Amino acid sequence: MEEGRRLEKISRTAKDPIKLRCAIVVLMSAQGQTVEDITSLMQVSDDHVRDVIHAFIEQGFEACTQNGEGDARRRSMSRLARRSA
């Protein structure tokens, strides 16, 4: 409950676009939106959405920092490279 309120506050007040995107992705997921719905709205890959959600589960709000988002992006790129190989 407290996390939800904090995510909503971030989504309304964040000046950092990375924090904002992270909060929106996690909120949408918590509200039952599918990965496909989130990717369509946010214009990001399904792997990226999953990585952000998993990072938030593992790291909490720390995942919504630039480093957390960068880590998610690196994991997505790593997966993409493995698929291409």
Side-chain angles (χ1 to χ4, degrees):
M1 199 68 146
E2 179 61 33
E3 282 183 340
R5 283 192 287 272
R6 188 169 170 192
L7 285 166
E8 286 176 0
K9 182 178 179 183
I10 291 169
S11 71
R12 287 190 312 270
T13 62
K15 292 182 178 24
D16 179 358
I18 292 174
K19 278 186 178 182
L20 176 62
R21 281 194 312 258
C22 178
I24 291 170
V25 166
V26 174
L27 275 172
M28 289 182 72
S29 176
Q31 293 170 349
Q33 298 294 318
T34 66
V35 170
E36 291 77 21
D37 290 342
I38 299 169
T39 60
S40 177
L41 177 71
M42 302 300 294
Q43 297 295 301
V44 295
S45 73
D46 57 342
D47 281 339
H48 178 74
V49 170
R50 287 184 182 98
D51 285 343
V52 169
I53 293 166
H54 289 290
F56 187 83
I57 290 168
E58 292 172 6
Q59 302 169 19
F61 288 93
E62 190 67 27
C64 290
T65 63
Q66 288 199 353
N67 288 338
E69 179 107 348
D71 292 344
R73 194 170 293 131
R74 277 191 292 281
R75 285 192 301 274
S76 291
M77 295 303 289
S78 182
R79 274 196 201 119
L80 184 60
R82 285 193 305 264
R83 286 183 190 162
S84 299

